[in-house]
Amino acid sequence: MSIPVIVDCDPGHDDVFALWFAAGHPSLELLAVTTVGGNVPIEHTSRNARVALTVAGVEGVPVAAGATGPLSRTLATAEWIHGENGLGGPELPEPSEPLDERGATELIAETLLAASEPVAIIATGPITNVAILLRERPELADRIREIVWMGGSTERGNVTPYAEFNAWVDPEALAIVVASGIRFTMVGLNVTHHALVTPAVRERLAAVDNRTARFGDELLEFFCRTNDEVFGMPDGPLHDPVAVAVLADPGSVELVHTRLDVELAGTETAGATSVDFDGMLKREPNAWVAVGLDVDRFWAAVEASVSRLA
Ligand code: RIB
Ligand code: CA
């Protein structure tokens, strides 16, 4: 029995692989996609999500645009990794399907109401859309199976010394979602930095040799180059599909039930995700936090999903 999922994303190279993983894996049923301003402005993330589905031959999955930026801060984007249009590298085809005229909140709400069982939300960007949904439609909370989010870190950040990008863009939204009481899983840099696109991984995915894999290889060429230039990481960490793995192949990601808090006020630490593994603060556990990844099993699942696409 497959798990119904909604992916909320800010494509972004790694978001595209998360969409393909969710669309191609037999354990998941991708019901809808929503987009948020993050890596690049919403105009690009909304087009890029549709491009990702078009390349993969995925039809009939609505894509709706959500928040242009964070709840109360000013959006800072990440063209330095993803390029001006958010999918630097390949020439982008025209999306085969139009943007859904509903906004993200309306599409998520209607998808939750229409589903025969609670739906999982996989968020791979700033989690603004999910926070808005919970604020505007609190009665739908029990129709959400769980929320799995790529973001945060139990260690260092990647946009400031202590904050990961998705958390840093909208920490207020993250605090709202964590406090909602809906099962919440954080997949942070501490784990996604093991999902490295090594030359062997590039070869493995390229060997799938379908349209999706060929387009994906052009994405990875660009993504690894910019990660090398910016972070000195020529084997770019493919963050977002690790969040999908939590649901697609739960045995591949080790989780710990612990305490997660978000720094909102810090001048140097805003967006830091404080994970209290040792219970020092004597607060109730409120989140599941990824602490380990079976790397080969993860890439095998990504490869299998891509091979099921166009
Ligand atoms: O810090 C990495 C995260 O920020 C990824 O989701 C990437 O796509 C960007 O959104
Ligand atoms: Ca992302």
Side-chain angles (χ1 to χ4, degrees):
M1 188 66 177
S2 58
I3 300 171
V5 302
I6 295 168
V7 173
D8 180 68
C9 54
D10 64 335
H13 293 67
D14 51 335
D15 301 76
V16 167
F17 280 84
L19 285 169
W20 290 345
F21 196 177
H25 199 280
S27 300
L28 305 179
E29 182 190 1
L30 180 60
L31 298 179
V33 176
T34 52
T35 58
V36 65
N39 281 320
V40 286
I42 191 87
E43 297 75 23
H44 286 303
T45 60
S46 300
R47 187 172 190 278
N48 293 343
R50 293 156 54 219
V51 165
L53 298 183
T54 297
V55 167
V58 176
E59 296 175 348
V61 175
V63 178
T68 56
L71 293 179
S72 56
R73 294 175 188 251
T74 304
L75 175 64
T77 49
E79 285 85 354
W80 27 278
I81 287 291
H82 298 281
E84 278 309 304
N85 67 3
L87 289 185
E91 192 177 326
L92 304 185
E94 274 307 304
S96 60
E97 301 194 18
L99 191 62
D100 195 292
E101 72 278 0
R102 292 166 288 183
T105 302
E106 191 180 353
L107 176 58
I108 296 173
E110 291 187 11
T111 303
L112 295 177
L113 289 166
S116 58
E117 63 179 285
V119 177
I121 296 178
I122 302 172
T124 62
I127 203 160
T128 314
N129 289 336
V130 181
I132 292 170
L133 173 87
L134 295 177
R135 189 172 61 185
E136 294 185 359
R137 302 295 300 271
E139 78 282 3
L140 297 179
D142 62 358
R143 290 179 175 265
I144 300 172
R145 170 192 165 115
E146 62 182 288
I147 298 163
V148 182
W149 172 67
M150 188 278 138
S153 173
T154 64
E155 294 158 4
R156 305 281 286 177
N158 64 353
V159 67
T160 71
Y162 290 99
E164 175 280 328
F165 178 81
N166 289 338
W168 176 76
V169 167
D170 201 345
E172 284 76 17
L174 178 57
I176 289 169
V177 175
V178 172
S180 69
I182 298 168
R183 178 185 168 109
F184 182 81
T185 300
M186 177 184 108
V187 181
L189 298 176
N190 52 293
V191 167
T192 66
H193 276 174
H194 296 291
L196 297 175
V197 180
T198 62
V201 167
R202 281 275 309 269
E203 267 177 55
R204 178 177 193 168
L205 295 178
V208 172
D209 197 23
N210 60 9
R211 181 177 69 198
T212 305
R214 289 190 290 273
F215 186 86
D217 193 56
E218 290 187 74
L219 289 177
L220 295 179
E221 173 70 30
F222 184 95
F223 183 72
C224 290
R225 189 170 68 245
T226 55
N227 271 276
D228 190 17
E229 290 163 0
V230 173
F231 296 115
M233 297 177 76
D235 301 342
L238 209 64
H239 307 283
D240 293 335
V242 184
V244 179
V246 170
L247 292 172
D249 186 12
S252 63
V253 186
E254 183 186 356
L255 304 178
V256 169
H257 194 216
T258 185
R259 178 71 194 192
L260 168 62
D261 291 289
V262 189
E263 178 56 61
L264 302 178
T267 48
E268 301 299 327
T269 56
T273 44
S274 168
V275 181
D276 185 8
F277 287 123
D278 301 320
M280 290 181 269
L281 301 173
K282 302 206 181 337
R283 294 173 185 166
E284 281 302 304
N286 60 350
W288 293 86
V289 172
V291 294
L293 179 68
D294 181 332
V295 174
D296 194 57
R297 183 167 166 176
F298 165 73
W299 288 120
V302 172
E303 177 191 3
S305 296
V306 170
S307 70
R308 289 163 55 96
L309 301 172

